[in-house]
């Protein structure tokens, strides 16, 4: 059982962003904004709000602007000050002061498991968190998703994957967990007997999907180092976690919060509308527009009938 606190996190951000071409031809998908904040900033904010002190981002050669985003921009700060825009100047400075962020490159796109292995020397012998940029989770008024997983880790001293129920037709998009039949679930936490990467509907052991949040013990690296390619010819984190289960307990935690698949175009659009609606300065205009749109759609549908 591990006793060390979770202070480090890994954000894999070396994907090619093919689902968002052409927007991601020259710009990393992690920089696509939801309203006016790049998606990766929401992920970093969640990590910081969950007590993470150091973050390693796994990047590739095309991700410079993400590094710049979390760095100081003295010229811009000066110009904003000169024009009296102190709020904006503070806002952009605060982004670079949030947390210590380090970067390492994944030299070949060999899958999520391989990306996490690139974090081995940064992590050392501590438990750590993984946050995937395609999954943005909000839990207004409650604990961030990662903080909930860290609490479950603190209770059990073992690895925890964050899950939520998905529609049966969506199980082939995710890592799907198999709860252990011999151990009862305690609240939102359940011990696992297995996990499968993107199974077909008839092979899926449940419809509880891993949605981009993990707390892992450093033992995972022993398995990642020897992990062979799995689904899609890639080194899968899911497969290494299954092997970890043979030597230590792994839990699933059904976290509270609304999760947006911002790696998917429709998920991204939903996030944009919801996040805009939650902004005081935009809320009313977005609501009015959505209502107007809804009645226009209704009128069109009536005409077609
Ligand atoms: C990855 C993981 C998968 C997980 C998913 C969550 O898949 O391999 O187990 O359920 O993220 O978003 P990807 O979406 O990168 O193909």
């Amino acid at each position: 059982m591990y006793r060390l606190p979770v202070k480090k996190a890994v954000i894999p951000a070396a994907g090619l962003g093919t689902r968002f071409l052409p927007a991601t031809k020259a710009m990393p998908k992690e920089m696509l904004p939801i309203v006016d904040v790049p998606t990766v900033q929401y992920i970093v904010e969640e990590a910081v709000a969950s007590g993470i002190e150091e973050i390693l981002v796994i990047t590739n050669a095309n991700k410079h602007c993400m590094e710049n985003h979390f760095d100081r921009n003295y010229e811009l700060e000066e110009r904003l000050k000169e024009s009296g825009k102190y709020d904006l100047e503070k806002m952009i400075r605060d982004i670079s002061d949030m947390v210590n962020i380090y970067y390492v490159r994944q030299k070949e796109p060999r899958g999520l498991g391989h990306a996490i292995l690139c974090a081995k020397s940064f992590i050392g012998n501590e438990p750590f968190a993984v946050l995937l940029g395609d999954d943005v989770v909000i839990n207004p008024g409650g604990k961030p998703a990662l903080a909930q997983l860290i609490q479950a880790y603190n209770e059990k001293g073992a690895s925890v994957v964050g899950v939520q129920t998905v529609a049966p037709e969506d199980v082939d998009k995710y890592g799907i967990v198999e709860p252990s039949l011999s151990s009862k679930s305690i609240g939102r936490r359940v011990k696992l007997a297995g996990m499968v990467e993107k199974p077909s509907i008839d092979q899926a052991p449940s419809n509880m999907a891993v949605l981009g949040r993990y707390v892992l013990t450093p033992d995972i690296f022993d398995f990642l180092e020897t992990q062979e390619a799995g689904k899609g010819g890639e080194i899968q984190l899911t497969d290494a976690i299954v092997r970890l289960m043979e030597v230590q307990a792994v839990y699933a935690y059904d976290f509270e919060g609304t999760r947006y698949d911002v790696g998917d175009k429709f998920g991204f659009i939903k996030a944009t509308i919801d996040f805009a609606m939650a902004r005081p300065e935009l809320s009313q205009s977005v609501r009015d527009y959505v209502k107007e749109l809804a009645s226009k759609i209704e009128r069109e549908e009536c005409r077609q009938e």
Side-chain angles (χ1 to χ4, degrees):
M1 177 167 171
Y2 276 80
R3 286 274 173 222
L4 288 167
V6 183
K7 292 289 165 204
K8 291 180 179 172
V10 179
I11 301 179
L16 298 177
T18 38
R19 289 197 281 175
F20 263 96
L21 281 169
T24 49
K25 184 179 171 196
M27 178 178 74
K29 68 170 175 176
E30 294 77 12
M31 291 301 292
L32 289 171
I34 303 175
V35 186
D36 50 9
V37 176
T39 54
V40 66
Q41 189 179 324
Y42 290 106
I43 306 290
V44 168
E45 284 171 355
E46 180 188 329
V48 174
S50 303
I52 295 297
E53 290 170 2
E54 296 192 297
I55 295 176
L56 180 72
V57 183
I58 315 290
T59 66
N60 64 26
N62 300 320
K63 308 279 175 163
H64 297 292
C65 66
M66 194 166 55
E67 297 182 31
N68 292 343
H69 182 72
F70 291 105
D71 198 354
R72 295 286 294 267
N73 183 336
Y74 291 102
E75 198 184 323
L76 180 58
E77 286 172 29
E78 279 313 310
R79 286 187 180 211
L80 290 171
K81 264 197 274 185
E82 279 164 21
S83 48
K85 295 179 172 145
Y86 298 107
D87 288 356
L88 282 179
E89 187 261 333
K90 180 179 177 321
M91 185 237 272
I92 64 149
R93 192 160 25 84
D94 285 351
I95 297 169
S96 48
D97 287 342
M98 245 188 316
V99 64
N100 288 325
I101 306 190
Y102 307 83
Y103 302 88
V104 67
R105 282 190 186 177
Q106 182 185 18
K107 295 180 187 69
E108 306 160 77
R110 292 177 59 197
L112 178 61
H114 179 258
I116 302 300
L117 183 58
C118 297
K120 185 177 185 244
S121 55
F122 172 81
I123 297 296
N125 202 28
E126 293 174 40
F128 64 102
V130 175
L131 300 102
L132 305 188
D134 282 349
D135 300 288
V136 169
V137 186
I138 52 158
N139 190 22
K143 272 189 176 200
L146 181 62
Q148 299 173 47
L149 264 64
I150 291 177
Q151 189 176 341
Y153 158 84
N154 288 339
E155 286 160 12
K156 299 309 293 182
S159 300
V160 184
V161 299
V163 297
Q164 279 189 343
T165 304
V166 295
E169 63 273 21
D170 285 337
V171 291
D172 62 354
K173 291 187 194 157
Y174 303 104
I176 301 294
V177 298
E178 179 186 350
S180 152
L181 291 176
S182 57
S183 84
K184 272 204 315 248
S185 54
I186 313 279
R188 293 175 164 265
R189 188 186 72 214
V190 64
K191 193 172 171 185
L192 294 183
M195 212 167 137
V196 195
E197 182 67 12
K198 306 192 174 91
S200 60
I201 228 175
D202 48 313
Q203 306 266 303
S206 73
N207 58 350
M208 299 297 282
V210 178
L211 297 178
R213 299 292 181 275
Y214 308 75
V215 172
L216 298 168
T217 62
D219 306 274
I220 193 70
F221 293 116
D222 296 342
F223 299 103
L224 285 173
E225 270 174 336
T226 55
Q227 188 58 53
E228 285 175 9
K231 194 92 188 181
E234 296 191 336
I235 297 176
Q236 296 292 350
L237 179 60
T238 298
D239 297 342
I241 296 176
V242 171
R243 288 166 65 214
L244 179 68
M245 275 175 214
E246 289 167 17
V247 298
Q248 53 185 242
V250 175
Y251 293 84
Y253 189 87
D254 182 4
F255 61 84
E256 201 182 87
T258 308
R259 168 257 177 189
Y260 296 89
D261 178 6
V262 297
D264 170 73
K265 283 178 198 142
F266 183 49
F268 189 84
I269 293 167
K270 281 200 271 191
T272 302
I273 296 171
D274 286 2
F275 280 51
M277 217 128 74
R279 282 286 192 85
E281 78 277 20
L282 288 171
S283 179
Q284 198 52 54
S285 357
V286 178
R287 265 167 218 276
D288 293 346
Y289 179 63
V290 170
K291 275 194 228 156
E292 194 187 304
L293 208 56
S295 45
K296 190 174 151 201
I297 293 170
E298 226 168 283
R299 282 197 304 274
E300 270 172 18
E301 285 179 351
C302 279
R303 236 178 291 137
Q304 278 160 16
E305 273 166 19

